[in-house]
């Protein structure tokens, strides 16, 4: 392999890693990215500018208490192609076909079957987990394996946040709201009756993530 090719491959790998990190963390400035990759600010800017030319990242200025505003870099919708899509085109096409053939009510039965199967799968995976936190951690594992990039975060009021940073079925959910409605019901079922869960941020509602606030007996 030529030296130029090796250098090109390294740049491609770094840029993909930057995309993954921005997906995980949201807006980041050059300094924060530089510390993560142990690269100079100049090198990070070169990568970001290259990604911007491809339409994969954008930036907005954020005011700081002291000094000049800083640029926060975020992904554009075009970057979604690097993450699991859940066969979105096929799913959307099938949903439209079913609506045309059976109407909106015709979707209820297959969605109910899907929800039941996922319930059984998730309950088996969560198994004998004790307490909401452990259940959420296991739920995050299975959702991450499905492409949702899920994690659990503690809150000062004692509640927990269940955060999904990517939606692999976003395009299908946009034309079939039942998918998202069933998701909330699914979480309620697998976490148990002593748990209160509400969606506080929603990707399809313009949010960066889907976030659920979870409270109850957090032991």
């Amino acid at each position: 392999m030529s030296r130029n090719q090796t250098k090109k491959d390294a740049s491609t790998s770094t840029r993909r890693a930057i995309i993954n990190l921005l997906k995980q963390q949201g807006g980041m400035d050059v300094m924060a990215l530089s510390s993560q990759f142990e690269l100079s600010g100049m090198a990070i800017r070169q990568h970001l500018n290259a990604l911007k030319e491809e339409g994969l990242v954008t930036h907005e200025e954020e005011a700081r208490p002291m000094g000049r505003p800083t640029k926060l870099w975020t992904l554009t919708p075009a970057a979604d192609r690097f993450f699991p899509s859940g066969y979105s085109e096929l799913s959307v096409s099938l949903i439209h076909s079913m609506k045309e053939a059976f109407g909106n009510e015709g979707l209820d039965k297959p969605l109910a079957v899907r929800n039941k199967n996922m319930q059984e799968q998730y309950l088996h995976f969560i198994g004998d987990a004790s307490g909401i936190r452990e259940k959420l951690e296991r739920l995050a594992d299975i959702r991450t394996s499905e492409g949702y990039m899920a994690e659990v975060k503690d809150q000062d009021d004692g509640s927990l946040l269940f955060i999904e940073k990517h939606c692999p079925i976003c395009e299908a959910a946009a034309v079939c709201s039942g998918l998202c409605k069933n998701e909330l019901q699914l979480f309620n079922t697998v976490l148990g009756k002593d748990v209160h869960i509400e969606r506080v941020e929603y990707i399809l509602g313009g949010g960066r993530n889907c976030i659920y606030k979870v409270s109850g007996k957090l032991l």
Side-chain angles (χ1 to χ4, degrees):
M1 183 181 294
S2 70
R3 191 171 180 178
N4 286 341
Q5 184 62 44
T6 300
K7 186 176 180 180
K8 182 179 179 181
D9 289 345
S11 293
T12 299
S13 177
T14 299
R15 289 167 193 170
R16 179 60 196 272
I18 289 173
I19 289 172
N20 287 338
L21 187 60
L22 289 177
K23 185 69 172 178
Q24 290 277 358
Q25 302 296 331
M28 297 180 72
D29 61 21
V30 168
M31 186 178 296
L33 287 165
S34 178
S35 66
Q36 289 288 326
F37 291 97
E38 298 183 353
L39 293 172
S40 68
M42 182 179 293
I44 290 294
R45 287 187 185 91
Q46 289 175 344
H47 287 304
L48 289 170
N49 286 331
L51 290 170
K52 186 178 179 181
E53 286 182 7
E54 294 181 53
L56 299 174
V57 300
T58 186
H59 63 74
E60 58 183 27
E61 291 193 346
E62 180 182 77
R64 294 294 166 94
M66 297 180 64
R68 299 170 59 185
T70 189
K71 290 180 179 178
L72 284 186
W73 292 85
T74 57
L75 298 180
T76 68
D80 283 347
R81 72 173 187 262
F82 291 98
F83 303 95
S85 65
Y87 304 104
S88 57
E89 290 185 11
L90 175 61
S91 300
V92 169
S93 176
L94 287 173
I95 288 169
H96 282 308
S97 296
M98 292 181 68
K99 280 185 177 180
E100 185 178 341
F102 308 112
N104 287 326
E105 292 183 0
L107 289 175
D108 290 344
K109 277 193 174 182
L111 287 177
V113 171
R114 175 181 182 272
N115 205 47
K116 181 177 180 294
N117 291 338
M118 292 180 73
Q119 249 180 55
E120 293 173 355
Q121 179 187 4
Y122 284 17
L123 286 170
H124 176 75
F125 190 85
I126 289 172
D128 59 354
S130 58
I132 298 173
R133 165 168 279 286
E134 188 177 356
K135 288 182 179 180
L136 282 175
E137 294 287 358
R138 294 193 187 182
L139 181 60
D141 287 341
I142 191 170
R143 295 291 282 183
T144 295
S145 73
E146 294 173 352
Y148 289 87
M149 300 177 72
E151 67 173 352
V152 181
K153 283 190 175 180
D154 294 288
Q155 297 299 288
D156 292 338
D157 63 359
S159 65
L160 297 169
L161 292 183
F162 186 76
I163 304 170
E164 295 182 332
K165 300 175 181 178
H166 179 61
C167 179
I169 62 166
C170 198
E171 291 185 34
V175 297
C176 181
S177 60
L179 287 169
C180 294
K181 179 182 176 182
N182 282 4
E183 181 179 75
L184 186 55
Q185 293 174 347
L186 173 66
F187 291 169
N188 268 311
T189 299
V190 300
L191 293 176
K193 62 182 181 180
D194 294 328
V195 178
H196 176 72
I197 179 168
E198 62 175 319
R199 187 188 284 125
V200 295
E201 186 174 324
Y202 188 31
I203 291 175
L204 288 180
R208 188 170 66 83
N209 304 308
C210 281
I211 302 179
Y212 298 86
K213 184 175 182 179
V214 183
S215 55
K217 299 176 182 178
L218 306 179
L219 300 176

